[in-house]
Amino acid sequence: MDKRLLTIQDISCVGQCSLTVALPVISACGIETAVLPSSVLSTHTAGFSGYTFRDLTDDMEKILAHWKKENIKFDAFYTGYVSKSQIPIILKIMDETAAPGALRIVDPVMADNGKLYPGFDSDFPSEMAKLCKGADVILPNITEASFLLGIPYPGDNLEKQDYDREYIEKMLKDLYELGANNVVLTGVSFKKDQLGCACYDGKNIEYYFNKRINKSMHGTGDVYASSFAGGLLRGLSVPKAAALGADFVIKSMEATMDDESHWYGVKFEKALPYLIKRLEEK
């Protein structure tokens, strides 16, 4: 039977991130993708100024009530950028609209490069930890992991990482203790020319690395999480879905490298044929 995934995150109308990435990418994976916007912005918040913002928290309970009336169920949930006040409602939505065995995938979007995103206060990570508890998979980057655990950010020196394998493996185990079944930690690197992810299921740790592209591009986290979710729903294991997501990000970045005017996101659309082919080959 075909599966239906609900993704809950914002819509940045321009900028190739959040729902404008999740909907096409997960759909390309062959998964019916339902959406619940947490807010609507005219653009994303990185590099644009004067953007509009409309919070949609007040609509969530009404949408849930209608879904329950129609007996709508979901086989998976994937959450991205949400506000603190929305987390209790999201947990309620997951509890009340889950099909038997439904998966919960949480990308704890809140920080990067050692800092919380604008609009998130210091107690937001403890609320996000509540969403991570009971998730089947959480997908933090190293900054988000540090905030979730209440520890200092270890830094991101490209010439020499300010952490070692022992540090990362303790971080994975501590994140697992938050209550998720699987942890996928992104942005992991032990060599200056490599970047990848680390997966932990409570027993085994698996790493996957790609070549590092020394250029920062907006939206790659959403591209990663969306392709991961699609791959997982297509039957890939967590480590294989994590590897697929990493490879898809690289292809998306490579498709964008030569266009300096395209600073606001990555051209993931150009890499969708690659993603579809990889899933067909699985």
Side-chain angles (χ1 to χ4, degrees):
M1 181 179 293
D2 292 338
K3 295 180 179 178
R4 175 194 287 152
L5 175 146
L6 171 65
T7 182
I8 307 172
Q9 51 188 307
D10 72 285
I11 295 177
S12 291
C13 299
V14 172
Q16 291 175 304
C17 68
S18 54
L19 277 180
T20 62
V21 168
L23 180 56
V25 169
I26 300 171
S27 297
C29 293
I31 305 299
E32 180 185 346
T33 310
V35 302
L36 179 56
S38 57
S39 55
V40 179
L41 294 83
S42 53
T43 66
H44 63 61
T45 61
F48 293 103
S49 61
Y51 49 83
T52 67
F53 176 89
R54 182 177 294 275
D55 183 272
L56 298 179
T57 305
D58 291 344
D59 294 284
M60 287 183 161
E61 291 272 12
K62 299 171 186 176
I63 291 170
L64 172 59
H66 184 228
W67 285 346
K68 289 172 66 177
K69 178 183 176 183
E70 297 293 335
N71 195 33
I72 292 171
K73 300 291 184 182
F74 302 101
D75 301 292
F77 303 92
Y78 154 42
T79 65
Y81 185 101
V82 298
S83 69
K84 182 168 62 177
S85 62
Q86 291 169 344
I87 289 174
I89 304 172
I90 292 168
L91 289 168
K92 183 178 179 182
I93 290 168
M94 289 178 168
D95 288 340
E96 297 184 5
T97 65
L103 295 174
R104 300 186 182 193
I105 303 162
V106 175
D107 183 5
V109 178
M110 58 180 167
D112 205 357
N113 299 316
K115 297 179 180 180
L116 287 170
Y117 291 143
F120 289 148
D121 56 29
S122 59
D123 63 348
F124 182 80
S126 63
E127 292 300 309
M128 179 56 74
K130 296 176 183 177
L131 192 56
C132 292
K133 184 178 182 180
D136 290 280
V137 187
I138 59 173
L139 303 163
N141 61 36
I142 291 178
T143 297
E144 290 158 347
S146 300
F147 276 108
L148 285 169
L149 297 174
I151 61 175
Y153 172 60
D156 186 26
N157 184 332
L158 298 186
E159 295 300 318
K160 181 181 182 301
Q161 292 300 156
D162 297 324
Y163 54 78
D164 56 16
R165 193 175 296 261
E166 182 181 1
Y167 184 95
I168 290 298
E169 296 191 355
K170 184 180 187 307
M171 178 174 272
L172 287 166
K173 292 172 182 177
D174 290 345
L175 287 166
Y176 181 81
E177 291 301 315
L178 294 177
N181 294 329
N182 294 270
V183 178
V184 178
L185 183 63
T186 63
V188 175
S189 177
F190 302 120
K191 298 179 180 180
K192 66 179 182 179
D193 60 346
Q194 289 184 340
L195 189 66
C197 56
C199 305
Y200 181 58
D201 63 0
K203 295 180 181 179
N204 301 305
I205 295 173
E206 296 188 41
Y207 292 96
Y208 185 79
F209 294 102
N210 291 99
K211 64 180 180 181
R212 183 195 290 269
I213 296 177
N214 287 319
K215 186 171 183 178
S216 178
M217 298 187 186
H218 299 301
T220 52
D222 297 327
V223 170
Y224 180 86
S226 298
S227 52
F228 171 89
L232 195 67
L233 267 288
R234 282 289 298 272
L236 297 182
S237 66
V238 168
K240 288 188 180 299
L244 174 67
D247 292 343
F248 181 56
V249 168
I250 292 294
K251 291 293 184 182
S252 300
M253 293 179 74
E254 288 175 343
T256 317
M257 289 289 289
D258 295 333
D259 187 350
E260 291 297 328
S261 68
H262 203 93
W263 57 267
Y264 51 84
V266 290
K267 298 181 181 181
F268 69 89
E269 301 92 345
K270 306 290 187 184
L272 286 175
Y274 168 83
L275 177 65
I276 294 167
K277 183 178 179 181
R278 280 281 302 270
L279 287 169
E280 289 173 346
E281 292 172 348
K282 79 178 180 64

